[in-house]
Amino acid sequence: MKFCPTCGHPVGFLIPPGDNRPRAVCGHCGTIHYQNPRVVVGCVPEWEGRILLCRRAIEPRRGYWTTPAGFLENGESLQAGAARESLEEACARVEIGSLLSVVNVLHAHQVHVQFRARMLAPEFDSSEESLEVGLFEERDIPWADIAFRSIHFSLQRYIADRSRGDELLHFHDIQESPER
Amino acid sequence: MKFCPTCGHPVGFLIPPGDNRPRAVCGHCGTIHYQNPRVVVGCVPEWEGRILLCRRAIEPRRGYWTTPAGFLENGESLQAGAARESLEEACARVEIGSLLSVVNVLHAHQVHVQFRARMLAPEFDSSEESLEVGLFEERDIPWADIAFRSIHFSLQRYIADRSRGDELLHFHDIQESPER
């Protein structure tokens, strides 16, 4: 942020009184603009034991596989966001189940949240956001070509839980070092 | 948002190609500025069966009681944020436990996340953010003076779970009608 979204004048970064972190503060109108992590929400849709994955049509990680997931929108619950992303990215209608994972992606200023989900029908399709979409048996999951570490983590926990009949909640922190 | 944070020129609201929602788009540099929900994170600190609450020193809801909670910061995990808020608002050091609640506060564009927590010592104090801080027996919780509906919900679930020896995760949606 270089300019004030409220009045258009330049902002500077300084620690406001009573605060302990540098914030973007407008030199003209004085508004403090806080910047906070965004939530990425998605789900692991399942149909008769197979898992729905999408091959990304857009950067970052175009061509790699992911569960349906994307940024939570204003006015939307986490569950509604997960279901929307499944519909938008995979043309698949799902019923959202239990919370699977919460991954703090620290360097990206994101929190990645994944739910378990049940497909309402074995219907799916590619989309503007997905080059292809498919239902995968566990042995066929393309582990080497998963788009994001948080998705890799979540899928592995999903499979491990399922084999034991569990539905646990898993936390994980990801912090990439600056040189990567 | 009225002006572009990147170049300072006016933004307009329109639906970008491939999108389905109006976004703030700069008429000069073309940058699309997405606006997404913020995460408010906190915890229910407990010491020998009593619960730590803070009476707010700042608006909104100054003078009302809450658990320690505040906006998640960039580069911070949910758990670290909950512990930081406990220290900042109540001068209390805690060990963060299981996830208690996730409340979608739809009209405020916020997700409120609360953890269970154990105080590391029976030490706490008021702060710039809290007029007073106290440990409450269950029967003394000021239910009529709790600052936010999400906190009321979370405290009630905390107490109900504790009485049964459970530590469940509770979801809730709050949507205030526009006229309120």
Side-chain angles (χ1 to χ4, degrees), chain A residues 3-9, chain B residues 1-6 8-11 26 33:
Chain A
F3 297 91
C4 175
T6 304
C7 78
H9 285 75
Chain B
M1 179 177 293
K2 294 178 181 169
F3 296 91
C4 177
T6 304
H9 286 75
V11 298
C26 179
H33 298 285

Side-chain angles (χ1 to χ4, degrees), chain B residues 86-134:
Chain B
S86 183
L87 194 60
E88 287 181 358
E89 299 196 343
C91 305
R93 292 185 309 121
V94 299
E95 178 184 80
I96 299 298
S98 60
L99 186 58
L100 165 63
S101 62
V102 177
V103 180
N104 299 296
V105 188
L106 299 167
H107 58 282
H109 304 163
Q110 293 177 356
V111 182
H112 290 195
V113 174
Q114 293 272 323
F115 290 87
R116 294 175 183 84
R118 187 178 67 85
M119 290 173 68
L120 298 178
E123 295 163 4
F124 54 87
D125 205 347
S126 58
S127 66
E128 288 196 9
E129 300 178 46
S130 302
L131 299 170
E132 56 180 314
V133 176

Side-chain angles (χ1 to χ4, degrees), chain A residues 2-3 5 7 20-21 23 34 36-38 72-74 77-79 84 88 104 106 109 171, chain B residues 2-3 5 7 20-21 23 34 36-38 72-74 76-79 84 88 104 106 109 171:
Chain A
K2 294 178 180 170
F3 297 91
C7 78
N20 51 28
R21 290 163 196 254
R23 311 287 181 184
Y34 297 93
N36 303 89
R38 292 177 202 253
L72 181 66
E73 298 280 4
N74 284 347
S77 72
L78 289 168
Q79 290 86 344
R84 175 184 52 74
E88 287 182 358
N104 299 297
L106 300 167
H109 304 163
F171 286 98
Chain B
K2 294 178 181 169
F3 296 91
C7 78
N20 51 29
R21 288 163 197 254
R23 311 287 182 185
Y34 297 93
N36 303 90
R38 293 178 201 253
L72 182 66
E73 298 281 4
N74 284 346
E76 179 177 72
S77 72
L78 289 169
Q79 290 86 344
R84 175 184 52 73
E88 287 181 358
N104 299 296
L106 299 167
H109 304 163
F171 286 97

Side-chain angles (χ1 to χ4, degrees), chain B residues 116-178:
Chain B
R116 294 175 183 84
R118 187 178 67 85
M119 290 173 68
L120 298 178
E123 295 163 4
F124 54 87
D125 205 347
S126 58
S127 66
E128 288 196 9
E129 300 178 46
S130 302
L131 299 170
E132 56 180 314
V133 176
L135 277 172
F136 289 79
E137 297 285 353
E138 180 182 331
R139 63 178 174 274
D140 298 325
I141 292 174
W143 291 109
D145 295 320
I146 299 296
F148 304 107
R149 288 160 66 189
S150 69
I151 303 297
H152 196 280
F153 170 83
S154 300
L155 278 173
Q156 289 210 318
R157 293 302 182 281
Y158 182 91
I159 300 260
D161 278 8
R162 193 177 65 172
S163 71
R164 290 189 302 262
D166 283 338
E167 290 199 5
L168 304 177
L169 166 58
H170 303 275
F171 286 97
H172 189 48
D173 289 355
I174 293 175
Q175 170 77 76
E176 280 190 11
S177 51

Side-chain angles (χ1 to χ4, degrees), chain A residues 143-161:
Chain A
W143 291 110
D145 294 319
I146 298 296
F148 303 106
R149 287 160 66 189
S150 68
I151 303 296
H152 195 279
F153 170 82
S154 300
L155 278 173
Q156 289 210 318
R157 293 302 183 280
Y158 182 92
I159 300 253
D161 278 7

